[in-house]
Amino acid sequence: MPNTASPATSLPAAAPEPPPGPGYRAVFRVREFRFVFVAHLFSLLGVVVSELALTVLVYDLTRSPLLSSLTFALGFLPYLIGGTLLAGLTDRLPPRRILVVCDLVCSACVAAMVVPATPVAVLLVLRCAIAVVSPVFNGTRMATLADILGEGDLFVLGRSLLRIVSQSALLTGFAVGGVLLTVVPPRGALAVTTVTFLVSALLLRLGTARRPARAAGKSAASGLAGTWAVLRNRRVRALMLMFWVPPLFAVVPEALAAPYADEIGVSTAALGLLMCALPVGTIAGELFAGSFLDAATRSRIVLPLAVTGVLPYLLYAPEPGVALAVVALFLAGATGAYTLGLDAWFVAAVPEDQRGRAMTLMTAGMMTVQGIGMAGAGIAAEFAPVHTVVAGTGVVGTLCLLAAAAELRASGATEK
């Protein structure tokens, strides 16, 4: 058994030194990270399956496509509410307690969905409750990774692994949920997810160390005042902007994949390729950067990759077939490798006593802008052909990314 602190003891004074070994293997040598990683798998499985099962359940109860789609969309807007109003908790309470309580809240909400007498309106409220606590959970976990892995390369690789798992969930999670729903009814699938959240809570409780609140003993602003205190830091604000702008535009082809498949008259199998190409490219880009590039190189490629991230969407201009569209989406996804270097800049720029709040705001903003991007894509496609909307996104998105990169340079956040 490795000579590490027991999970029930306080955090050691210093963050762990990076163990010898290249790439991602070094991260898995850290015992606490292994627990966080497996807990992430269970929690993510719970989120994906519960979203799918609840969407099917609401449709079965109402036969309303609108309410069914609303059930899925409700996963985005509450992120903004929870991330803004509850972000301060991440620095004022012990992080392990927050993580465990968030998992228990999600498990309790899903358990209430399983009750046959639960009306549809309450189902939607419970869905919102899960979405409200999600940014708090994600931001706290991201800040805790810096405690577990240190603020250097191990943190960057650990964050990357969690993102890769999340992207992989887009490819496999709904397939697993679909198979599960052929065996059990929607409420049965929801019952399964109550267990996955409980397992995640147990792993985090037993496998991670007890740490004090980051802002313990310090006067910290709460609510919107605390949020503004974080955003007053120009470097942090510019870095958040660089996290938020790319996904705002990147989601457009995914949101319009079904209409585009119909526009060019291709099969459902081709639609599957269009849906998978972007996350596959993202996974490939992150794996390459994390496995073969050193920290200095990952830092140098942040801005070049970020500002060119949606340029491949220009390939949609001539209304291409599936093959060229898939290439465009894969290339756009692969540029997501810039996030490894950006993570390193972010954790270095944020004061430790504001780290939980800042990371909660950052993750909440990323989810919120994706919802906005999807909605905007749908509105634009009402007035223009889908291929024109996607190609236009390549132009407008690149201009916005150039502006965000200029602000990032001016803030000094890119300086080492």
Side-chain angles (χ1 to χ4, degrees):
M1 185 174 179
N3 183 21
T4 56
S6 167
T9 62
S10 297
L11 173 68
E17 289 296 321
Y24 293 109
R25 285 179 294 177
V27 184
F28 282 112
R29 292 192 180 98
V30 180
R31 177 181 179 273
E32 278 194 85
F33 177 79
R34 295 197 297 270
F35 277 87
V36 172
F37 182 80
V38 177
H40 179 59
L41 292 176
F42 277 97
S43 180
L44 190 62
L45 178 63
V47 170
V48 173
V49 175
S50 64
E51 285 179 351
L52 179 60
L54 184 60
T55 300
V56 174
L57 176 61
V58 169
Y59 183 74
D60 287 346
L61 293 174
T62 65
R63 312 310 296 179
S64 169
L66 175 60
L67 285 176
S68 179
S69 62
L70 179 62
T71 303
F72 193 82
L74 282 174
F76 290 97
L77 181 59
Y79 259 80
L80 181 62
I81 299 171
T84 301
L85 299 181
L86 302 180
L89 296 177
T90 58
D91 292 318
R92 293 159 59 192
L93 296 174
R96 186 177 67 180
R97 184 188 306 170
I98 294 174
L99 294 174
V100 172
V101 169
C102 285
D103 266 336
L104 293 178
V105 168
C106 290
S107 182
C109 288
V110 176
M113 296 175 187
V114 176
V115 178
T118 306
V120 172
V122 176
L123 291 175
L124 297 180
V125 170
L126 292 169
R127 174 74 179 93
C128 287
I130 294 175
V132 166
V133 302
S134 290
V136 178
F137 179 88
N138 293 333
T140 302
R141 182 180 59 201
M142 182 177 172
T144 301
L145 277 185
D147 298 330
I148 294 172
L149 301 173
E151 299 178 6
D153 210 37
L154 281 187
F155 167 78
V156 171
L157 294 175
R159 275 276 295 154
S160 175
L161 278 170
L162 297 188
R163 272 197 304 268
I164 289 170
V165 170
S166 298
Q167 287 293 329
S168 299
L170 298 177
L171 303 176
T172 61
F174 287 117
V176 171
V179 171
L180 183 61
L181 287 171
T182 65
V183 180
V184 297
R187 292 191 194 275
L190 288 170
V192 172
T193 65
T194 64
V195 177
T196 65
F197 285 121
L198 289 175
V199 171
S200 175
L202 185 64
L203 288 168
L204 292 169
R205 176 61 182 81
L206 299 179
T208 60
R210 183 176 65 242
R211 294 173 167 84
R214 289 177 189 82
K218 301 178 182 179
S219 59
S222 60
L224 294 176
T227 298
W228 177 240
V230 172
L231 295 178
R232 275 201 302 266
N233 185 323
R234 186 182 182 186
R235 289 191 178 193
V236 174
R237 189 171 64 243
L239 286 163
M240 283 192 182
L241 193 64
M242 187 54 76
F243 275 110
W244 293 343
V245 175
L248 173 65
F249 297 100
V251 298
V252 170
E254 285 187 303
L256 299 178
Y260 187 67
D262 181 65
E263 182 178 291
I264 61 177
V266 296
S267 65
T268 304
L271 172 60
L273 289 175
L274 293 173
M275 294 293 291
C276 291
L278 191 68
V280 167
T282 302
I283 293 169
E286 288 227 17
L287 283 174
F288 178 83
S291 300
F292 300 106
L293 303 182
D294 59 24
T297 303
R298 291 197 296 264
S299 182
R300 286 195 296 269
I301 65 175
V302 169
L303 293 183
L305 287 184
V307 300
T308 58
V310 294
L311 272 181
Y313 292 172
L314 295 177
L315 294 175
Y316 269 76
E319 195 177 29
V322 172
L324 187 56
V326 165
V327 169
L329 293 170
F330 181 88
L331 291 175
T335 64
Y338 77 89
T339 52
L340 281 80
L342 195 61
D343 278 337
W345 293 351
F346 191 72
V347 75
V350 178
E352 184 178 357
D353 62 330
Q354 295 181 335
R355 187 175 292 159
R357 183 191 292 270
M359 292 180 175
T360 299
L361 290 171
M362 185 265 284
T363 55
M366 287 180 66
M367 288 299 296
T368 302
V369 298
Q370 287 180 70
I372 294 172
M374 290 178 180
I379 294 172
E382 290 290 325
F383 301 97
V386 174
H387 70 280
T388 303
V389 173
V390 177
T393 298
V395 176
V396 177
T398 300
L399 294 175
C400 292
L401 284 164
L402 286 169
E407 169 60 17
L408 195 59
R409 282 190 178 278
S411 72
T414 62
E415 298 172 3
K416 299 302 288 180

